[in-house]
Amino acid sequence: MQTQSALTGYLAEQIGLVLDGLTGLREGTDPVHDTRVAIRRTRSTLRIFKRELDPVAGPAFEDELKWFAGVLGDVRDVQVQRHRLRDALDDLPELLVLGPVGSRINLDLRGIEAPARERVSEAMETTRYLDLVTELQRWSAAPPVLPGGTAKRLRATAQKAGAKADRRLKAALKSDDDELLHRARKAAKRARYANELLQLDRSSKKAKRNIKHYKQIQSALGDMQDTVVARTMLRQLGAAAGTTPGENGFTFGLLYAREEQLARQCRQAVAAL
C-alpha cells in the first residue's frame, strides 16, 4: 500500500468512527468513549504526519477536534470515576464503610455529570459544531493528503514519534510531576497510533511490536492519571462528608490512601517497561 493510500485509509476510517459517534450522541446512545478515542487517533495522525497533509487544512481542523473532545472529556471522566470508586468501595469491608458513602459518591458525581452532559448538548447546537461536522464529512470523503509520500518517510516519522515518547517517559520517571507523566502518556499514544498506520501500510516489521509496547505504557500511565483524578474527587467528597451531619470523611480517606498506593504501583509498572 502506498503511503498516500495508507494515510487516506486510516484517516477516513477514524473520521468515519467519529461521525458514527456523533450520530449516536444525537440518537441518545452513549458512545462518548469510542468517539473520543476516534477523535484522539485522528488528531494524533494530523499532528504526527503533518508533513504529508495540506499545511493549510490540518491545524484548524485539529483545534476543533480538540475542542469537542474536551467537551466530551468532562462526561467521560465522571463515567470512569463512578465505576472506579464504586468498585473500590465494594472491595472495602463493611466495617470500614462509615456513613452513606455510596450515596455521597452517586449524588456528587451526578451533580458533576448532569451539567457536563448539558454542555455536550449545548455544544452540538452551535454553529461551531455544525462547521466541525461539515469539515469531518469533507475529510472523510477526501482527506487532503499530499502526493509523493514514501514508506521510508512514513517509518522515519513514526520512529521520531516513538523516540519523543521514550524521552518524555524517561524524564517523567525522574520527576514527581504528574503533569509530566500525563504528557508522556499522550506521547505514547501518538507513537502507538503512528505504528498502527505503519501496520496498515505494512511498511514496518516492528510496527506490531511497537504497538504492543506503547499500548502497555499508555495503559499503565492511563491508570496512573485515573488515580490523579480520583484523588482530587476524593478530597472533595471527603471534605463535603466531613462537614455534613450523619457523615464523616473516614472512608474517603481510606479510598484516597488506596489511590496513592495504586499510583506508586503504576509508576513501578511503567518503569519496568
Side-chain angles (χ1 to χ4, degrees), residues 106-124:
N106 289 334
L107 181 64
D108 283 27
L109 290 189
R110 277 201 299 269
I112 298 171
E113 183 178 15
R117 287 191 178 278
E118 184 63 27
R119 287 191 292 272
V120 173
S121 297
E122 290 173 354
M124 293 180 75

mmCIF file of all heavy atoms in Angstrom, residues 106-124:
data_model
loop_
_atom_site.group_PDB
_atom_site.id
_atom_site.type_symbol
_atom_site.label_atom_id
_atom_site.label_comp_id
_atom_site.label_asym_id
_atom_site.label_seq_id
_atom_site.Cartn_x
_atom_site.Cartn_y
_atom_site.Cartn_z
ATOM 1 N N ASN A 106 -22.563 8.773 44.524
ATOM 2 C CA ASN A 106 -23.553 8.856 43.439
ATOM 3 C C ASN A 106 -24.117 10.262 43.302
ATOM 4 O O ASN A 106 -24.238 10.791 42.185
ATOM 5 C CB ASN A 106 -24.683 7.857 43.684
ATOM 6 C CG ASN A 106 -24.258 6.426 43.493
ATOM 7 O OD1 ASN A 106 -23.323 6.140 42.746
ATOM 8 N ND2 ASN A 106 -24.914 5.496 44.184
ATOM 9 N N LEU A 107 -24.463 10.877 44.430
ATOM 10 C CA LEU A 107 -25.087 12.197 44.395
ATOM 11 C C LEU A 107 -24.136 13.245 43.848
ATOM 12 O O LEU A 107 -24.494 14.033 42.961
ATOM 13 C CB LEU A 107 -25.535 12.578 45.808
ATOM 14 C CG LEU A 107 -26.236 13.935 45.950
ATOM 15 C CD1 LEU A 107 -27.551 13.930 45.172
ATOM 16 C CD2 LEU A 107 -26.497 14.253 47.424
ATOM 17 N N ASP A 108 -22.916 13.246 44.347
ATOM 18 C CA ASP A 108 -21.967 14.275 43.919
ATOM 19 C C ASP A 108 -21.545 14.086 42.462
ATOM 20 O O ASP A 108 -21.388 15.069 41.724
ATOM 21 C CB ASP A 108 -20.740 14.273 44.833
ATOM 22 C CG ASP A 108 -21.019 14.945 46.169
ATOM 23 O OD1 ASP A 108 -22.195 14.950 46.598
ATOM 24 O OD2 ASP A 108 -20.070 15.467 46.795
ATOM 25 N N LEU A 109 -21.357 12.835 42.034
ATOM 26 C CA LEU A 109 -20.955 12.604 40.647
ATOM 27 C C LEU A 109 -22.091 12.928 39.685
ATOM 28 O O LEU A 109 -21.851 13.419 38.574
ATOM 29 C CB LEU A 109 -20.467 11.173 40.455
ATOM 30 C CG LEU A 109 -19.132 10.832 41.126
ATOM 31 C CD1 LEU A 109 -18.640 9.460 40.691
ATOM 32 C CD2 LEU A 109 -18.069 11.877 40.835
ATOM 33 N N ARG A 110 -23.332 12.667 40.109
ATOM 34 C CA ARG A 110 -24.462 13.085 39.264
ATOM 35 C C ARG A 110 -24.494 14.603 39.133
ATOM 36 O O ARG A 110 -24.838 15.141 38.076
ATOM 37 C CB ARG A 110 -25.779 12.583 39.851
ATOM 38 C CG ARG A 110 -26.112 11.145 39.500
ATOM 39 C CD ARG A 110 -27.601 10.861 39.641
ATOM 40 N NE ARG A 110 -28.069 11.075 41.010
ATOM 41 C CZ ARG A 110 -28.099 10.131 41.937
ATOM 42 N NH1 ARG A 110 -27.668 8.907 41.669
ATOM 43 N NH2 ARG A 110 -28.550 10.403 43.147
ATOM 44 N N GLY A 111 -24.123 15.269 40.209
ATOM 45 C CA GLY A 111 -24.077 16.726 40.170
ATOM 46 C C GLY A 111 -23.014 17.270 39.229
ATOM 47 O O GLY A 111 -23.133 18.394 38.739
ATOM 48 N N ILE A 112 -21.967 16.481 38.993
ATOM 49 C CA ILE A 112 -20.936 16.873 38.024
ATOM 50 C C ILE A 112 -21.337 16.457 36.609
ATOM 51 O O ILE A 112 -21.138 17.202 35.645
ATOM 52 C CB ILE A 112 -19.588 16.225 38.395
ATOM 53 C CG1 ILE A 112 -19.119 16.715 39.774
ATOM 54 C CG2 ILE A 112 -18.524 16.529 37.341
ATOM 55 C CD1 ILE A 112 -17.912 15.975 40.311
ATOM 56 N N GLU A 113 -21.929 15.261 36.493
ATOM 57 C CA GLU A 113 -22.235 14.713 35.175
ATOM 58 C C GLU A 113 -23.367 15.451 34.471
ATOM 59 O O GLU A 113 -23.301 15.681 33.248
ATOM 60 C CB GLU A 113 -22.599 13.233 35.302
ATOM 61 C CG GLU A 113 -22.867 12.558 33.961
ATOM 62 C CD GLU A 113 -23.166 11.089 34.095
ATOM 63 O OE1 GLU A 113 -23.444 10.625 35.221
ATOM 64 O OE2 GLU A 113 -23.106 10.385 33.067
ATOM 65 N N ALA A 114 -24.402 15.816 35.215
ATOM 66 C CA ALA A 114 -25.569 16.443 34.577
ATOM 67 C C ALA A 114 -25.202 17.719 33.817
ATOM 68 O O ALA A 114 -25.544 17.852 32.635
ATOM 69 C CB ALA A 114 -26.650 16.709 35.626
ATOM 70 N N PRO A 115 -24.493 18.665 34.445
ATOM 71 C CA PRO A 115 -24.110 19.860 33.674
ATOM 72 C C PRO A 115 -23.109 19.562 32.560
ATOM 73 O O PRO A 115 -23.098 20.245 31.531
ATOM 74 C CB PRO A 115 -23.514 20.794 34.738
ATOM 75 C CG PRO A 115 -23.170 19.926 35.890
ATOM 76 C CD PRO A 115 -24.152 18.804 35.875
ATOM 77 N N ALA A 116 -22.264 18.520 32.764
ATOM 78 C CA ALA A 116 -21.315 18.150 31.710
ATOM 79 C C ALA A 116 -22.065 17.651 30.480
ATOM 80 O O ALA A 116 -21.715 18.000 29.338
ATOM 81 C CB ALA A 116 -20.351 17.082 32.219
ATOM 82 N N ARG A 117 -23.076 16.838 30.691
ATOM 83 C CA ARG A 117 -23.890 16.364 29.558
ATOM 84 C C ARG A 117 -24.660 17.509 28.919
ATOM 85 O O ARG A 117 -24.847 17.539 27.695
ATOM 86 C CB ARG A 117 -24.836 15.261 30.017
ATOM 87 C CG ARG A 117 -24.128 13.938 30.300
ATOM 88 C CD ARG A 117 -25.106 12.806 30.493
ATOM 89 N NE ARG A 117 -24.436 11.547 30.719
ATOM 90 C CZ ARG A 117 -23.951 10.766 29.748
ATOM 91 N NH1 ARG A 117 -24.094 11.126 28.473
ATOM 92 N NH2 ARG A 117 -23.351 9.624 30.026
ATOM 93 N N GLU A 118 -25.086 18.429 29.735
ATOM 94 C CA GLU A 118 -25.798 19.587 29.195
ATOM 95 C C GLU A 118 -24.877 20.412 28.299
ATOM 96 O O GLU A 118 -25.295 20.916 27.254
ATOM 97 C CB GLU A 118 -26.333 20.452 30.340
ATOM 98 C CG GLU A 118 -27.167 21.641 29.897
ATOM 99 C CD GLU A 118 -28.441 21.249 29.155
ATOM 100 O OE1 GLU A 118 -28.969 20.135 29.395
ATOM 101 O OE2 GLU A 118 -28.906 22.049 28.316
ATOM 102 N N ARG A 119 -23.613 20.517 28.688
ATOM 103 C CA ARG A 119 -22.657 21.253 27.854
ATOM 104 C C ARG A 119 -22.433 20.561 26.516
ATOM 105 O O ARG A 119 -22.217 21.226 25.488
ATOM 106 C CB ARG A 119 -21.330 21.426 28.605
ATOM 107 C CG ARG A 119 -21.386 22.430 29.737
ATOM 108 C CD ARG A 119 -20.007 22.766 30.267
ATOM 109 N NE ARG A 119 -19.364 21.656 30.944
ATOM 110 C CZ ARG A 119 -19.512 21.383 32.233
ATOM 111 N NH1 ARG A 119 -20.291 22.129 32.989
ATOM 112 N NH2 ARG A 119 -18.871 20.365 32.792
ATOM 113 N N VAL A 120 -22.475 19.225 26.510
ATOM 114 C CA VAL A 120 -22.358 18.492 25.245
ATOM 115 C C VAL A 120 -23.548 18.824 24.347
ATOM 116 O O VAL A 120 -23.380 19.127 23.158
ATOM 117 C CB VAL A 120 -22.288 16.969 25.491
ATOM 118 C CG1 VAL A 120 -22.337 16.212 24.156
ATOM 119 C CG2 VAL A 120 -21.023 16.594 26.252
ATOM 120 N N SER A 121 -24.747 18.776 24.909
ATOM 121 C CA SER A 121 -25.961 19.069 24.130
ATOM 122 C C SER A 121 -25.927 20.493 23.598
ATOM 123 O O SER A 121 -26.279 20.745 22.440
ATOM 124 C CB SER A 121 -27.201 18.862 25.008
ATOM 125 O OG SER A 121 -27.313 17.517 25.420
ATOM 126 N N GLU A 122 -25.493 21.422 24.435
ATOM 127 C CA GLU A 122 -25.419 22.823 24.008
ATOM 128 C C GLU A 122 -24.385 23.002 22.906
ATOM 129 O O GLU A 122 -24.618 23.745 21.933
ATOM 130 C CB GLU A 122 -25.079 23.707 25.206
ATOM 131 C CG GLU A 122 -26.207 23.818 26.222
ATOM 132 C CD GLU A 122 -25.780 24.551 27.485
ATOM 133 O OE1 GLU A 122 -24.567 24.864 27.609
ATOM 134 O OE2 GLU A 122 -26.648 24.800 28.344
ATOM 135 N N ALA A 123 -23.244 22.334 23.047
ATOM 136 C CA ALA A 123 -22.198 22.447 22.034
ATOM 137 C C ALA A 123 -22.686 21.948 20.675
ATOM 138 O O ALA A 123 -22.344 22.524 19.626
ATOM 139 C CB ALA A 123 -20.960 21.670 22.469
ATOM 140 N N MET A 124 -23.503 20.885 20.689
ATOM 141 C CA MET A 124 -23.968 20.285 19.445
ATOM 142 C C MET A 124 -25.036 21.118 18.744
ATOM 143 O O MET A 124 -25.459 20.775 17.642
ATOM 144 C CB MET A 124 -24.481 18.874 19.720
ATOM 145 C CG MET A 124 -23.382 17.910 20.152
ATOM 146 S SD MET A 124 -23.953 16.223 20.495
ATOM 147 C CE MET A 124 -24.219 15.612 18.826
#
